[in-house]
Amino acid sequence: MTNVIKDIIENKNIDKIFSYVLKRLFENGPVAISDMEILSYLLIYQPEKFELHKNAILNFMSVFYKDVPRETLRDVVFGQYKKHLHEKYSIYLDSHEYFTPVQADILKGIENNNCFSFSAPTSTGKSFVFIKKIIECKNDVVVVVPSRALINEYYLKLCNNIQDKTINILTFIDKINIKNSRKNVFVVTPERCRELFKYNGKEEFVVDLFLFDEAQLSNEEDKRGLYYDSIVRRAYKKYPNAKFVFAHPFVSNPESQIIKNKLDKSKSDNKPYEQKNVGQVFIIKQRDKYYHFGINKEIMGSRKVLCAFNPVTKVLNDGGSVLFYVSKSKIYDKRILTDFKEYIQVCKNVENIRIDYYINELIKITGGNIKEGENYYSRMISLLRKGIVIHHGSMPLQTRVLIEEFTKEGLCKICFATSTLEQGINMPFDIVFVDRLEVNDSLALKNLIGRAGRSTLDNKFDFGTVIIRSNMSGFRNVMLTINELDIVSSLDKTEDKDDDYNDFKQSIVDGTFNDEYNLTPKELENINNLNTQNIIVDILNAVFLGGELVTLDKINADLEFKLDLYLSFRKLYETFLDRKLSNAEADVLNTAIKIMLWRIYGKTFKQICWFRYSHTINSHSKKSIKPKVNYITGFHELPNKKLARYPMYGKGNKVEEVDYDRIVYDTYDYIDKLIGFRLMDKFYAAFIKYFDREGDIRAKKLANFIKFGTNNSKEIWLLRYGLTFEDIEVLNPHIESVDSEEIVFKKSINDVPLELKQSVIRYLN
């Protein structure tokens, strides 16, 4: 079989091609890329003939969640297999639900082993299996995902599937709602999972199952990879009776998790699955023309074949959606608006009450507006009116959640996204247009283009389209690459003498990492020394007056006082590093401290964004003087000895070049990636340890302000129950009391509109 694409388009050898692909599908299942390509092309160019074979194709693919008629003896065989799996796993399934063979085998692997690690394409439906297993567990379950955005997706799925309110579904580790709950399901990132190890003795959680989804991210070389493996090892040591499951896409050696983390091989198993539920076709755009090409040249043809229509325009006009995979820099400098102008013009403004809702919600969160030319203008929000969304890892979590809901609601026509979507977020599209082809990271690229095509319950063959701009041979190589994960953890690799993380790595390996404070022994020793204690006293004396926080106005009004305060926090951070910060690192830390102080003083996210934007454009300058752009330090991760000074905006910029969206993204990076991930634990531990040692109540207050943003015990408890400050402002009058046992509501809670009490809906009787 050769030149299949050309033959299908030209209506040649169609019966022979159908016979070829049906035989392979019956014997092997949907495992070959070329088979799924052929089926997709047959559907596109020979739809009437495809309809004659559709039921056989779907039966042979074993997509048992579709209600497919059985017309032949071979179809009946698959029907009996479907019935057998339903009967065997009936404790997991409702009468109308069915597992595919792959889903059933994944469940079998979990049931029969202490550790089960597997890989499967993105359309396998593994989350359906996971939810069924989570429901079946009698005790606590911990789901570890790579991003906070994926936390929300899991949380919503679990809430929709688990109506039993005696099951706590929490996006953080905490011992709450004890009186009304019989088990907990925690959905957390590796960073949040560390809280699990603080609980000992009578309050110990009984964990039946650890689920590590998108586990290939443990392969990252930065601290996240280190932290991921550290969580696996600490959990395996603390909960030896729990089951451990690792899920990856497109990985040939899922056993790597078992090997690298030294899990018991005699109680473990692994399996790579290749079965696909969705077909894909591949197109290259050259100049203004589109050409089909196949991955396997021997079967699909070695030469590209002209596509007689513009696939992007066609999908948009037909009401479909397109994902453009672009660099973050292209989003930031707005090149997306010029490079993809022809497609953006297809998307007309839409007046829709649901679009109005999303625009208004995003304005509330970010403080942006949609009046072009005015201060605080947000192009990101404005584009929603055309059904165009932007998605990347520096967007505020609530913003990303709304964007994902907007997309799943069918309102999105175009999405400009970075590699954030590779982290397993379920946002499928009809077309994935790869503007940024990174052939060096084949696993990430495969995961990303897995978003092309929607797996539906409809009785049809599902497929998607992938479009690239260049390097057809490089793309083919990526698709045919066998992806392997490292079998040696970064925790065990030879130390770099100049690595700031060596102390962390060593304490995890030798088991001396302190679970209560999430610090290494060396860090604990450093914050207990006399010099550090003096720094803590200096900070407490500066920010407290008569036992209460000094006003923010006092801090801002006295420049020398403010600089001394920043310097004290800098010295405190340096005690953890056991070295001095570079000037560039100090710039970043000073900005983080400023933002942290704003949060301590109750400033909302949008207020902080407003402050930073107003400072940057120098909005307080006299009207008679043309404002100049002030220097503002952009976010960078710390520690980083090699960091160079990085002005996000400065003297070389004009006021009109200052982008409010950039300020929003940068502010969120500071809050989420630096304050939340790097600084909060360290500062909290320093002040709470000082309180334990000296009994200075000011230290406990400041520790609470740093961690929770408040020292009010009721507010802290409500935050621990998952409410935001915005939720608390609305619901506090309707709450009688709250503690670890339960939230006691007043009768007036019944009068609160449903949309305003979603955060407590699972705690209501």
Side-chain angles (χ1 to χ4, degrees), residues 471-683:
N471 199 359
M472 196 161 57
S473 61
F475 184 82
R476 283 191 178 112
N477 290 336
V478 165
M479 296 302 295
L480 297 173
T481 296
I482 296 175
N483 298 104
E484 292 189 346
L485 297 181
D486 201 335
I487 61 172
V488 179
S489 170
S490 297
L491 289 168
D492 300 317
K493 290 182 178 178
T494 304
E495 291 187 2
D496 176 354
K497 292 181 179 179
D498 203 31
D499 189 346
D500 285 318
Y501 301 132
N502 282 339
D503 185 41
F504 172 80
K505 291 161 63 174
Q506 186 58 43
S507 67
I508 293 297
V509 171
D510 61 26
T512 59
F513 191 80
N514 185 280
D515 290 330
E516 182 179 0
Y517 295 106
N518 279 303
L519 297 176
T520 67
K522 187 175 181 180
E523 288 175 325
L524 280 172
E525 181 183 339
N526 286 346
I527 64 173
N528 282 327
N529 68 41
L530 181 59
N531 182 52
T532 307
Q533 300 297 295
N534 290 336
I535 295 171
I536 291 172
V537 171
D538 288 342
I539 293 173
L540 294 175
N541 288 339
V543 300
F544 283 97
L545 182 64
E548 299 298 326
L549 284 176
V550 300
T551 65
L552 189 58
D553 287 342
K554 173 177 171 52
I555 295 175
N556 290 331
D558 189 335
L559 180 60
E560 185 177 351
F561 173 83
K562 181 163 65 174
L563 293 177
D564 285 344
L565 180 59
Y566 287 8
L567 181 59
S568 294
F569 272 108
R570 173 178 167 180
K571 289 178 179 177
L572 182 57
Y573 180 65
E574 287 174 342
T575 64
F576 291 99
L577 289 185
D578 205 20
R579 70 169 174 85
K580 296 289 185 182
L581 290 177
S582 69
N583 289 334
E585 288 177 305
D587 286 349
V588 174
L589 183 66
N590 285 343
T591 302
I593 292 167
K594 179 188 294 185
I595 293 172
M596 186 180 73
L597 287 172
W598 277 330
R599 285 163 57 84
I600 286 172
Y601 282 90
K603 303 304 178 185
T604 63
F605 176 76
K606 69 179 178 182
Q607 286 175 322
I608 295 172
C609 293
W610 284 342
F611 295 157
R612 298 189 75 210
Y613 178 80
S614 296
H615 167 76
T616 307
I617 66 171
N618 202 7
S619 63
H620 299 297
S621 62
K622 294 180 180 179
K623 292 184 179 180
S624 59
I625 301 174
K626 187 175 181 180
K628 295 181 179 179
V629 173
N630 282 323
Y631 184 101
I632 182 172
T633 301
F635 164 79
H636 268 290
E637 291 192 357
L638 296 180
N640 182 356
K641 294 177 182 178
K642 299 177 181 178
L643 184 64
R645 279 188 157 164
Y646 172 61
M648 187 165 63
Y649 292 108
K651 293 180 179 179
N653 294 105
K654 299 176 182 178
V655 168
E656 54 268 26
E657 293 175 328
V658 178
D659 181 2
Y660 184 70
D661 287 333
R662 282 284 309 273
I663 300 291
V664 170
Y665 304 149
D666 190 75
T667 302
Y668 182 74
D669 277 342
Y670 268 107
I671 292 172
D672 183 54
K673 299 174 183 176
L674 186 50
I675 297 172
F677 183 34
R678 295 282 194 268
L679 303 181
M680 184 187 295
D681 264 4
K682 289 177 167 49
F683 288 158

Side-chain angles (χ1 to χ4, degrees), residues 131 153-163 169 762:
I131 288 171
E153 183 168 309
Y154 257 99
Y155 177 78
L156 293 176
K157 281 183 182 178
L158 289 168
C159 287
N160 289 334
N161 284 275
I162 302 176
Q163 302 301 315
I169 303 175
R762 292 193 66 84

